[in-house]
Amino acid sequence: MKKDETNYIDKNIEEIKEDEKIIRIKFKNQEKDKIELYENEFELCEFNNICMQNGTMEKIIFKDTVFQQCNFSNTKFRECSFIRCKFNNCKISGCDFAENGIYNITITDTNASYINLSMAILEKVTFKDTILKNSYFQETKLKNIEFN
């Protein structure tokens, strides 16, 4: 791990341990398909040009985290929470966010087709220039949602 100019530490995704709390870490230019992460918390982190397709993330909390040019296609997010996060120019098509808590999120220029948000809670979420073709919102609790 090494420090960069913004006081973030660079880290390899494969170094993440179960139940680890990760603060101020920058993940960049990495690929790890079919990853399985359990009971982690990411706070003030950055994911830049990360490819983690067809994975499973369970009981993960993302707080104040930015995802830039990431590909999480067909990843299952089980019992996860996203709080004050940003997705910019990402691919989350086919992701399963069922029963997740999603609060104060901005999703911009992102391919979110075929995502499953069934029985999730979405509060203060903005979808800007985002593709939501064939996405599922069955029994989803929505509050202050904006589609641009």
Side-chain angles (χ1 to χ4, degrees):
M1 294 188 290
K2 61 182 179 181
K3 279 197 168 188
D4 72 5
E5 66 279 358
T6 58
N7 296 321
Y8 282 81
I9 298 172
D10 290 344
K11 187 171 182 172
N12 191 310
I13 292 170
E14 294 182 5
E15 296 174 358
I16 299 171
K17 296 174 182 65
E18 185 174 329
D19 204 27
E20 182 179 3
K21 184 170 183 174
I22 299 153
I23 300 172
R24 279 198 159 308
I25 300 292
K26 183 181 282 189
F27 301 94
K28 60 183 176 183
N29 303 321
Q30 298 180 46
E31 185 171 334
K32 180 63 177 156
D33 290 343
K34 298 182 181 178
I35 193 167
E36 294 184 2
L37 295 175
Y38 300 98
E39 298 185 9
N40 297 104
E41 184 172 335
F42 295 87
E43 187 170 350
L44 297 165
C45 292
E46 290 184 15
F47 290 77
N48 194 332
N49 195 31
I50 300 297
C51 184
M52 295 192 314
Q53 299 180 77
N54 301 302
T56 300
M57 297 192 197
E58 189 170 317
K59 297 180 180 175
I60 307 289
I61 298 170
F62 296 97
K63 288 183 186 173
D64 302 302
T65 295
V66 176
F67 303 94
Q68 180 73 38
Q69 293 181 304
C70 294
N71 186 348
F72 295 111
S73 295
N74 301 309
T75 294
K76 296 175 186 82
F77 293 90
R78 304 281 189 222
E79 298 180 55
C80 295
S81 296
F82 295 84
I83 303 162
R84 295 179 305 275
C85 297
K86 293 181 181 180
F87 288 84
N88 299 310
N89 196 21
C90 292
K91 187 172 182 183
I92 56 174
S93 60
C95 285
D96 187 355
F97 295 99
E99 300 183 27
N100 282 221
I102 302 172
Y103 309 96
N104 297 315
I105 303 296
T106 302
I107 302 173
T108 306
D109 294 320
T110 293
N111 181 348
S113 33
Y114 299 97
I115 63 170
N116 180 11
L117 291 161
S118 298
M119 296 186 284
I121 299 170
L122 277 71
E123 186 174 312
K124 295 184 181 175
V125 176
T126 299
F127 294 96
K128 183 176 182 184
D129 299 323
T130 293
I131 301 167
L132 286 163
K133 179 181 176 187
N134 294 320
S135 292
Y136 302 99
F137 287 83
Q138 185 175 0
E139 296 185 45
T140 304
K141 294 180 182 174
L142 304 172
K143 183 176 181 183
N144 297 326
I145 306 303
E146 186 175 336
F147 297 93
N148 290 337

